[in-house]
Amino acid sequence: MQTQKTARYLSLLPVTIAFAITTVMMGQNTITPKSEIPGKVEALLAKMTLEEKIGQMNQYNGFYDVTGPAPKGGGAQRKYDNLSKGYVGSMLNVRGVEQVRAVQKIAVEKSRLGIPLIIGFDVIHGYKTISPIPLAEAASWDMEAIKRSAQVGAAEAAASGINWTFAPMVDISRDARWGRVMEGAGEDPFLGSDIARARVQGFQGDDLSDPLTVAACAKHWAAYGFAEAGRDYNTSDVGTGTLFNVVFPPFKAAKEAGVKTFMNSFNTLNGVPATGDKFLQREILKEKWGFDGFVVSDWGSILEMKAHGYAKDGKDATFKAVTAGSDMDMESDLYVTELAGLVKEGKVDEALIDDAARRILTVKYELGLFDDPYRYCDEAREKEVIYNPKYQEDVLDMARKSIVLLKNENNLLPLKKSGQKIALIGALAADKSSPLGGWRIASDDGTAISVKEGMEKYDGNTLTYAKGADVVIGPATFVRELTINEDDRSAFAKAIETAKNADVVVMVLGEHGYMSGEGRSRAQLDLPGVQQELLEEVYKVNKNIVLVLNNGRPLAIDWAAENVPAIVEGWQLGSQAGNAIAEVLYGDYNPSGKLPMSFPRSVGQLPIYYNHKSTGRPDEAADNMVFWSHYGDESNEPLYAFGYGLSYTSFAYSDLKVKPTKQGATVTVTLKNTGSVTGKEIAQLYIQDPYASVTRPVRELKGYELVTLKAGEKQKITFDLTGEELGFYDNQGVWQVEPGQYNIFVGGDSDATLMKSFEMK
Ligand code: NOJ
């Protein structure tokens, strides 16, 4: 009989698959009821030796091709022996049913207790079918679409033998130099929290044992996104107020959404490596928030405490990590070598080991791995689910919703569908890999629809393509430092000639997909290489330019913003990138995305974010043009503010009313589509607490609504504000809701001017 849960995911799939999966599921063992799991875990723990319990806390990267012969000698042999002895609880980067089944078989059949492995993988924005990078998805502000995108990644990964993803990354960041902003939801904790919840629900579903879902992992705990100067792995020094009000909320939201695991982070936070931080892992996460899942270290981060200057050696690092609450060691190979000795010497209480093993075993039970270790290993399902065409529709939907229209002077966009000569310029326009972005390790190069392919489907115009310039030279790979093309202008002439003869020039410029992501910080945020020069050369012969940006972070494109009439933020949009961009360019999809992160005018403004505090000297006075908080050579304002984004129609806000209630206030506003086509607006509400016991930001997002209106149509929108939106954490990390005045702003971005105040009693 089909269970409710089965029916839910079957409804997401085509009939053929649904049939195959029903068949598979009917043959599956029944799942241990939740209520029985604690008892089973305790019974198992009682049978385990100290070394076996520590083994559960050990995670290895895939270390050999399991379909080949078993390793002989060296480190791989030792790892293989540990696996056979039950001294490995998890592996990462083993994927594909054949490989996963083979390693699982070793764990289950060779080890004394046959405890199955939990198999982890970075499913950050898709597995085979690739979704937009998370920062792009965040621009949709559409929680259903984001959840669906995570479901797609989970389904493909789970069908490939994986049962745990190292996602979502919920790090808030205010610095576009940091390459990993592409993996997060941007700069805002309110939006970031909603997205954290949506992604956790998408990955995990309602029931972890569903073989098309995976356990999720909120990372990186904590303050990894506050790396000084935006340089990856760098120090974070963050005050209590910012920690509690900005850094923590998305993690708390993930916890409340039931996320099963957390990953700690590479950085130090206020002088303590997060991996060895008791305050973060034990006091806040496990004690205060009551998190009962497990914490995995980041890759090698236990050993890295030595380089940080926090641990004397591997043994000391092990002691510090385990006492701080890091339950699983990813690839430091230290727990399995040092921990038993520390327990035997009486330095580490065995209760800590029991606690960690208990947490890990519980998740394995919930995943159904004890009921069937090969639950995620079904060749027929793998074949049906991977690259299923249905998923292309889902990622296309997500890609469309992620696009942000930044500028559209004189309605240059949408493009006319016929009778036009269009020049398409830029190497990224024809690139079928770069749109797959920075975390697509399981996917296949060349599988994205390029902008060129997307535009070619509109055949009423003449489209002529010229590369203009390469962005990178040589192969772009996940682990290779990319060589940016700084001097090859040999293809400029052809591009300029093509542009001269065109009615409109579409230029696809920006960053290659591998220019953002882990270890990919940038000190410049311009169009890399010779692209800015190319843009200006083309502009000399044809000013009718639509600039389509491809990038994994906000860019400082002040010249383009000043001169180019139309700019479309096209991020790295995944498998369907080119189709989504072409639909927007031709007006078949009216763009509705809003920026989840401020775009700076120049790198010197960083970190730049809308929800900053006021200084004591915020404004220029007529008689004091020097001694106020500003730059002598740059504006304080971002190029494009948080929450900003245009549409092919226009919207007007009016009739803002704020009615105090017992809990806070009810805010109403009328939104009208004042343009000539149907459009979707993301109406945003910001609060300001102008005077408080601890200074509050000049604005904070506390509500938003996605509203689709036909031309001329209007709608009343209501927001309810309670203590939850109006309060804040003080400098002791204690929640406060203070009486007094609150200013409410409603509009289409964080610069909204429509304002009303109310008094909170
Ligand atoms: C290091 C990254 O920081 C982390 O996010 C990732 O999950 C692990 N490597 C595993 O690939």
Side-chain angles (χ1 to χ4, degrees):
M1 212 177 57
Q2 244 179 250
T3 62
Q4 219 184 339
K5 151 202 90 193
T6 319
R8 186 187 61 73
Y9 76 72
L10 292 182
S11 71
L12 302 170
L13 296 165
V15 184
T16 47
I17 307 182
F19 174 74
I21 292 173
T22 310
T23 317
V24 168
M25 291 207 61
M26 282 166 74
Q28 259 163 9
N29 305 346
T30 47
I31 295 297
T32 307
K34 267 215 158 114
S35 57
E36 290 176 22
I37 293 177
K40 296 218 173 207
V41 169
E42 291 314 313
L44 180 56
L45 274 175
K47 283 191 228 157
M48 294 169 80
T49 62
L50 174 64
E51 286 72 15
E52 284 167 340
K53 286 185 279 191
I54 291 168
Q56 288 304 305
M57 300 163 70
N58 180 32
Q59 184 186 50
Y60 283 148
N61 189 41
F63 56 90
Y64 83 110
D65 177 2
V66 220
T67 52
K72 293 257 174 305
Q77 168 84 55
R78 199 182 69 78
K79 286 185 167 181
Y80 180 84
D81 291 344
N82 280 342
L83 182 59
S84 317
K85 283 192 266 186
Y87 295 172
V88 181
S90 173
M91 289 187 71
L92 76 152
N93 293 333
V94 179
R95 63 185 156 96
V97 165
E98 190 188 10
Q99 296 278 319
V100 172
R101 184 188 286 281
V103 281
Q104 196 67 288
K105 207 163 157 30
I106 300 169
V108 170
E109 292 181 12
K110 294 206 169 194
S111 71
R112 188 178 75 92
L113 293 169
I115 299 175
L117 299 163
I118 175 169
I119 304 287
F121 197 80
D122 289 283
V123 187
I124 309 297
H125 49 103
Y127 181 72
K128 285 283 187 186
T129 305
I130 298 297
S131 295
I133 56 168
L135 184 66
E137 290 191 355
S140 74
W141 300 48
D142 185 326
M143 299 311 132
E144 276 312 306
I146 291 174
K147 184 174 162 188
R148 179 67 196 134
S149 162
Q151 275 172 351
V152 169
E156 282 193 339
S160 180
I162 289 151
N163 34 56
W164 177 23
T165 175
F166 306 124
M169 186 192 97
V170 302
D171 295 309
I172 296 295
S173 182
R174 298 164 162 180
D175 197 326
R177 290 172 295 185
W178 191 49
R180 300 196 79 167
V181 299
M182 56 82 57
E183 272 179 75
E187 74 191 36
D188 185 69
F190 186 83
L191 181 63
S193 297
D194 280 358
I195 292 175
R197 267 187 287 273
R199 291 211 166 109
V200 170
Q201 286 160 2
F203 287 130
Q204 295 193 167
D206 305 327
D207 180 351
L208 264 201
S209 68
D210 179 336
L212 287 184
T213 63
V214 293
C217 179
K219 71 186 189 185
H220 305 84
W221 181 240
Y224 183 42
F226 276 66
E228 277 179 6
R231 184 156 49 78
D232 206 5
Y233 316 119
N234 205 6
T235 307
S236 291
D237 276 325
V238 183
T240 312
T242 305
L243 261 190
F244 277 83
N245 291 300
V246 181
V247 173
F248 288 175
F251 286 98
K252 192 153 187 272
K255 188 265 153 192
E256 281 159 10
V259 74
K260 287 293 154 186
T261 71
F262 266 56
M263 183 185 291
N264 58 36
S265 53
F266 289 126
N267 57 286
T268 59
L269 171 61
N270 303 331
V272 179
T275 305
D277 195 331
K278 221 181 204 167
F279 163 74
L280 285 175
Q281 297 172 102
R282 288 217 187 274
E283 286 173 31
I284 297 292
L285 182 61
K286 292 180 178 171
E287 286 160 23
K288 202 164 181 177
W289 294 357
F291 173 67
D292 57 9
F294 69 88
V295 180
V296 63
S297 81
D298 203 344
W299 181 292
S301 68
I302 299 180
L303 187 56
E304 285 182 15
M305 290 202 284
K306 219 178 120 195
H308 277 301
Y310 189 72
K312 196 168 120 223
D313 49 26
K315 187 171 175 182
D316 190 30
T318 302
F319 170 77
K320 285 179 171 145
V322 80
T323 46
S326 296
D327 300 307
M328 186 181 276
D329 169 5
M330 181 192 286
E331 265 295 302
S332 284
D333 203 15
L334 281 174
Y335 278 7
V336 80
T337 48
E338 302 289 353
L339 207 41
L342 284 162
V343 173
K344 283 170 192 160
E345 285 167 36
K347 294 207 170 102
V348 169
D349 187 346
E350 192 167 345
L352 293 188
I353 312 298
D354 289 346
D355 177 58
R358 183 179 293 118
R359 289 167 182 271
I360 295 162
L361 292 171
T362 302
V363 175
K364 290 185 179 182
Y365 260 109
E366 289 172 344
L367 283 164
L369 288 168
F370 280 99
D371 303 297
D372 176 8
Y374 306 107
R375 186 165 184 75
Y376 298 82
C377 297
D378 183 282
E379 281 79 2
R381 184 165 61 218
E382 182 178 41
K383 225 168 141 220
E384 288 276 7
V385 170
I386 298 290
Y387 282 133
N388 191 284
K390 166 79 185 76
Y391 299 148
Q392 297 292 335
E393 286 167 33
D394 295 315
V395 300
L396 174 58
D397 176 63
M398 186 74 257
R400 291 178 184 127
K401 290 172 172 163
S402 304
I403 294 171
V404 186
L405 180 63
L406 295 175
K407 190 176 174 191
N408 193 19
E409 226 168 61
N410 304 325
N411 295 328
L412 182 55
L413 287 174
L415 300 172
K416 292 191 190 76
K417 284 189 177 158
S418 60
Q420 299 273 292
K421 274 191 276 175
I422 298 183
L424 177 63
I425 295 174
L428 292 172
D431 200 316
K432 290 177 61 61
S433 295
S434 176
L436 299 174
W439 265 119
R440 38 128 158 168
I441 34 184
S443 191
D444 298 286
D445 271 351
T447 51
I449 304 287
S450 68
V451 175
K452 182 166 170 285
E453 288 170 324
M455 289 189 74
E456 278 165 355
K457 291 186 184 148
Y458 291 83
D459 56 6
N461 289 325
T462 319
L463 185 76
T464 314
Y465 170 68
K467 167 174 84 167
D470 286 310
V471 182
V472 295
I473 300 172
T477 73
F478 186 59
V479 288
R480 188 175 178 274
E481 193 74 53
L482 307 190
T483 312
I484 310 296
N485 170 25
E486 301 286 355
D487 47 23
D488 182 3
R489 297 171 182 82
S490 57
F492 270 32
K494 191 177 161 211
I496 292 165
E497 207 42 47
T498 313
K500 248 188 213 163
N501 300 317
D503 297 308
V504 184
V505 185
V506 175
M507 295 187 76
V508 184
L509 305 178
E511 300 179 316
H512 185 275
Y514 280 135
M515 285 184 71
S516 54
E518 186 181 347
R520 300 274 158 90
S521 296
R522 289 186 67 198
Q524 267 83 41
L525 293 178
D526 53 359
L527 297 170
V530 295
Q531 293 180 98
Q532 178 66 32
E533 223 179 293
L534 175 67
L535 175 61
E536 292 184 32
E537 289 302 314
V538 169
Y539 184 79
K540 281 182 193 156
V541 301
N542 193 335
K543 297 194 169 22
N544 246 2
I545 296 177
V546 176
L547 171 62
V548 176
L549 293 172
N550 274 198
N551 44 323
R553 52 158 67 79
L555 295 177
I557 44 147
D558 53 336
W559 187 91
E562 180 76 15
N563 296 287
V564 172
I567 306 178
V568 174
E569 177 49 82
W571 311 106
Q572 281 124 15
L573 291 175
S575 302
Q576 289 290 325
N579 283 335
I581 290 170
E583 286 180 22
V584 163
L585 294 180
Y586 278 106
D588 283 345
Y589 189 83
N590 187 354
S592 58
K594 301 273 191 177
L595 293 178
M597 206 171 168
S598 310
F599 272 45
R601 288 171 192 277
S602 57
V603 175
Q605 292 180 310
L606 297 175
I608 188 166
Y609 49 100
Y610 84 95
N611 48 356
H612 59 84
K613 302 283 182 78
S614 175
T615 66
R617 296 185 178 193
D619 303 312
E620 181 181 344
D623 59 347
N624 172 9
M625 288 157 67
V626 175
F627 303 109
W628 66 290
S629 182
H630 74 298
Y631 301 102
D633 56 358
E634 184 58 276
S635 145
N636 285 356
E637 300 307 316
L639 186 60
Y640 297 114
F642 173 84
Y644 171 81
L646 302 171
S647 160
Y648 292 149
T649 189
S650 50
F651 296 97
Y653 291 80
S654 62
D655 207 17
L656 175 63
K657 291 199 178 95
V658 181
K659 204 172 126 219
T661 60
K662 243 189 179 160
Q663 298 79 19
T666 299
V667 179
T668 53
V669 72
T670 301
L671 175 67
K672 183 171 182 194
N673 180 339
T674 50
S676 54
V677 291
T678 299
K680 181 167 71 187
E681 170 71 328
I682 304 176
Q684 301 158 44
L685 179 145
Y686 295 85
I687 66 159
Q688 182 195 21
D689 181 352
Y691 162 73
S693 60
V694 182
T695 61
R696 305 301 308 136
V698 293
R699 281 182 188 202
E700 294 173 273
L701 179 74
K702 290 296 173 182
Y704 59 90
E705 272 303 313
L706 278 60
V707 186
T708 300
L709 296 174
K710 294 200 187 95
E713 199 182 354
K714 57 183 176 182
Q715 191 178 310
K716 188 166 150 186
I717 310 171
T718 305
F719 299 95
D720 280 319
L721 295 175
T722 65
E724 211 174 304
E725 288 80 29
L726 299 169
F728 63 92
Y729 290 96
D730 66 17
N731 284 346
Q732 278 66 49
V734 179
W735 184 250
Q736 306 288 351
V737 184
E738 297 186 349
Q741 185 187 332
Y742 288 84
N743 299 330
I744 308 298
F745 301 84
V746 179
D749 59 48
S750 58
D751 286 331
T753 48
L754 201 57
M755 196 268 267
K756 279 265 153 69
S757 305
F758 80 100
E759 285 286 324
M760 175 98 161
K761 297 274 181 292

